[in-house]
Amino acid sequence: MKQNDKTYVNIFAIAFLAVTVFAFILYFVPEKQPLNWMSYEDALIVAAKKNKPILLNFYSLWSEECKQIDRNVFSNDSLKNQLKSKYILARIVLDNKQNKMLAKEQFSIKGIPSIIELTPKGKEIRRLSSADTRLLYLWINDTTCNIINGWLNCSEAKTEAEKNNKIFLIILNTGFLQQNYKTHVLSDEKINLLMAQDFVPTYLVSSNKDDKKIIESLYGNLDSAPYGEVLLFYYKGKEIDKYFLSDEIFFKKDVVYNQYFGQK
């Protein structure tokens, strides 16, 4: 082989190596994180001490959509301050078998990017599986978690309702619907006022182990429970009605107000 040919081969080899290294860095090396994310286990400890909700982010180094949210949402200075003030921030990176099993078995994660909002005790409030930055901004600014976090647990709420001759209201979530319709119900001031007067509310979600046992005690097994987000009304230990939260409430909250909360 001539000297010139060897030179061209060397140049080509160096160029190919440079492109390969750059591609590896671009796709497999995580970008500088715009926020300081804790592990899920550490976040549970800190959240309990500070009584702050958890924002749990499921992330993959392979996902361009996850990196897009980091760039377009979590790198926004005003939003970063808001998130740090409101939440304990946790991230589960799906880069090993253990984390993948945790995401699948405990949280039923079926796609990324996914974000779950948890109470300080680790109970799921709602979730969002989307790379839509506009929707994510609206979702983060919602106050549903603050409302539900102030409610009694199921046993305490049931006792309180029977003691004060009120209706025991369970908001049940077994479907993990992305829309999370209860947000639109609970954000209504008129409904909130009537709930405080006439109802003792609690919240059950099937992703929580303790709640799952309660749901199974009510229906025999999880498969027999209503699917989705449902309002369950109990009075003196008996179920008196149920109402499935759906698109209808998104457009017309008065349906719930007039039919249920407007009258005992």
Side-chain angles (χ1 to χ4, degrees), residues 79-93:
L79 188 60
K80 280 196 294 185
N81 293 332
Q82 183 180 345
L83 288 171
K84 290 176 184 177
S85 173
K86 182 178 180 180
Y87 295 108
I88 301 299
L89 302 171
R91 172 170 281 181
I92 295 178
V93 181

Side-chain angles (χ1 to χ4, degrees), residues 171-177 181-182 203-206 225-231 243-245:
I171 295 185
L172 176 67
N173 185 354
T174 60
F176 310 119
L177 302 177
Y181 301 110
K182 63 181 171 294
Y203 178 63
L204 297 177
V205 57
S206 58
Y227 180 79
E229 292 187 292
V230 191
L231 300 177
Y243 189 82
F244 286 83
L245 303 183

Side-chain angles (χ1 to χ4, degrees), residues 4-262:
N4 287 342
D5 292 338
K6 289 183 179 180
T7 301
Y8 286 128
V9 169
N10 290 337
I11 292 174
F12 177 79
I14 293 171
F16 178 78
L17 180 61
V19 171
T20 302
V21 170
F22 178 76
F24 180 86
I25 293 173
L26 181 63
Y27 290 101
F28 299 106
V29 176
E31 299 175 4
K32 184 178 180 181
Q33 292 191 3
L35 288 166
N36 293 321
W37 300 92
M38 294 184 181
S39 69
Y40 172 59
E41 294 76 12
D42 289 343
L44 286 173
I45 296 172
V46 176
K49 289 181 179 179
K50 295 187 176 182
N51 194 33
K52 290 177 67 174
I54 299 170
L55 189 72
L56 180 59
N57 175 221
F58 292 86
Y59 185 91
S60 173
L61 304 177
W62 302 76
S63 170
E64 184 57 36
E65 288 186 329
C66 289
K67 294 179 181 180
Q68 177 184 332
I69 289 179
D70 264 356
R71 290 191 299 266
N72 299 337
V73 179
F74 295 142
S75 293
N76 180 282
D77 289 335
S78 61
L79 188 60
K80 280 196 294 185
N81 293 332
Q82 183 180 345
L83 288 171
K84 290 176 184 177
S85 173
K86 182 178 180 180
Y87 295 108
I88 301 299
L89 302 171
R91 172 170 281 181
I92 295 178
V93 181
L94 305 180
D95 61 349
N96 60 61
K97 186 176 181 180
Q98 182 179 355
N99 284 352
K100 289 178 181 178
M101 290 290 287
L102 176 65
K104 180 181 179 181
E105 294 184 359
Q106 183 167 338
F107 295 101
S108 300
I109 296 298
K110 296 179 180 178
I112 52 172
S114 289
I115 297 173
I116 296 181
E117 187 178 46
L118 306 166
T119 68
K121 294 182 179 180
K123 178 186 287 192
E124 177 178 337
I125 297 297
R126 58 198 175 127
R127 63 174 60 195
L128 179 68
S129 298
S130 174
D132 186 331
T133 55
R134 181 189 60 83
L135 186 61
L136 186 56
Y137 271 101
L138 294 173
W139 191 84
I140 289 173
N141 281 288
D142 183 74
T143 58
T144 304
C145 187
N146 296 336
I147 297 170
I148 291 180
N149 191 40
W151 290 355
L152 300 173
N153 64 38
C154 187
S155 177
E156 293 170 340
K158 181 180 179 182
T159 301
E160 183 73 12
E162 293 176 353
K163 178 182 177 182
N164 294 285
N165 199 33
K166 291 186 175 183
I167 293 175
F168 174 39
L169 170 64
I170 297 176
I171 295 185
L172 176 67
N173 185 354
T174 60
F176 310 119
L177 302 177
Q178 181 169 305
Q179 190 64 55
N180 294 113
Y181 301 110
K182 63 181 171 294
T183 297
H184 308 290
V185 177
L186 298 179
S187 61
D188 189 290
E189 293 182 3
K190 185 166 55 175
I191 288 177
N192 264 305
L193 179 61
L194 286 171
M195 282 180 63
Q197 293 174 347
D198 301 331
F199 299 85
V200 181
T202 194
Y203 178 63
L204 297 177
V205 57
S206 58
S207 65
N208 180 275
K209 292 181 180 179
D210 293 333
D211 285 2
K212 184 179 178 181
K213 291 178 181 178
I214 297 173
I215 296 170
E216 289 174 339
S217 71
L218 291 173
Y219 294 98
N221 57 68
L222 194 60
D223 291 336
S224 299
Y227 180 79
E229 292 187 292
V230 191
L231 300 177
L232 302 174
F233 298 84
Y234 289 83
Y235 187 66
K236 294 184 177 180
K238 294 183 179 181
E239 183 179 316
I240 57 174
D241 213 339
K242 69 165 64 78
Y243 189 82
F244 286 83
L245 303 183
S246 64
D247 289 319
E248 185 176 23
I249 293 174
F250 182 83
F251 298 106
K252 194 175 181 182
K253 284 182 281 192
D254 281 349
V255 170
V256 177
Y257 173 76
N258 292 330
Q259 188 169 353
Y260 293 105
F261 295 106

